[in-house]
């Protein structure tokens, strides 16, 4: 257990060193996934952050060498938007036409599975007309 905690602290220190040179907006979108064989693995929330970090790879490796005396020969970046950090997905309004809502309600009337029928009715009720 102590080895796992030590590894987690090490990765947290790497993340903190990276966040010192990255903009504040990067914090919720970047996670250090691992460091093995002088390769750093980062998971990011979007392709935009992945591209930005790829352009900064030399700057990031230099910063880690200076701040932590850590040798990084390469950075592998993967887009993994699930469970990255404390941020929450943005709730977006569901726009459904009147015809679509009516179709969902009619479909629900002919479905034997009560929970599925109720879900379709809730979806029809939650949808709004596009503006």
């Amino acid at each position: 257990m102590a080895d796992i905690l030590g590894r987690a602290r090490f990765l947290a220190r790497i993340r903190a060193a990276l966040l010192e040179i990255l903009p504040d907006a990067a914090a919720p979108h970047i996670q250090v996934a691992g460091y093995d064989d002088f390769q750093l693995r980062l998971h990011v929330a979007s392709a935009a952050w992945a591209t930005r970090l790829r352009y900064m790879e030399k700057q990031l490796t230099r910063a880690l060498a200076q701040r932590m005396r850590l040798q990084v020969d390469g950075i592998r970046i993967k887009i993994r938007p699930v469970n990255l950090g404390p941020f929450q997905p943005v709730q977006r309004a569901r726009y459904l036409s009147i015809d679509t809502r009516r179709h969902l309600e009619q479909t629900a009337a002919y479905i034997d599975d009560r929970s599925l029928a109720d879900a379709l009715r809730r979806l029809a009720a939650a949808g709004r007309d596009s503006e």
Side-chain angles (χ1 to χ4, degrees):
M1 186 66 122
D3 189 39
I4 294 171
L5 289 174
R7 185 79 170 159
R9 287 185 186 118
F10 174 65
L11 296 178
R13 285 195 332 265
I14 293 173
R15 185 174 189 272
L18 290 173
L19 292 178
E20 286 178 16
I21 62 167
L22 291 171
D24 292 337
H29 303 284
I30 297 171
Q31 187 64 45
V32 177
Y35 175 77
D36 299 300
D37 300 322
F38 306 110
Q39 296 289 317
L40 181 64
R41 286 189 326 272
L42 300 176
H43 289 176
V44 297
S46 68
W49 280 110
T51 301
R52 190 170 186 175
L53 292 177
R54 285 184 183 113
Y55 281 117
M56 295 181 68
E57 184 173 345
K58 289 193 187 303
Q59 186 181 356
L60 296 175
T61 56
R62 257 187 265 123
L64 290 173
Q66 291 171 350
R67 287 174 170 77
M68 295 184 65
R69 307 265 186 251
L70 186 67
Q71 179 182 347
V72 177
D73 293 337
I75 300 176
R76 288 183 278 156
I77 301 167
K78 295 204 181 244
I79 301 166
R80 303 274 169 115
V82 179
N83 298 328
L84 255 186
F87 59 91
Q88 297 294 323
V90 176
Q91 292 290 338
R92 292 190 175 92
R94 297 180 218 158
Y95 295 107
L96 300 174
S97 68
I98 293 172
D99 290 336
T100 301
R101 287 186 288 177
R102 189 175 307 126
H103 182 72
L104 288 171
E105 290 168 357
Q106 289 173 353
T107 302
Y110 292 99
I111 292 180
D112 293 332
D113 184 344
R114 184 178 173 100
S115 61
L116 178 58
D118 290 342
L120 288 172
R121 286 187 190 99
R122 284 192 307 274
L123 178 62
R128 293 183 243 160
D129 290 332
S130 61
E131 297 174 23

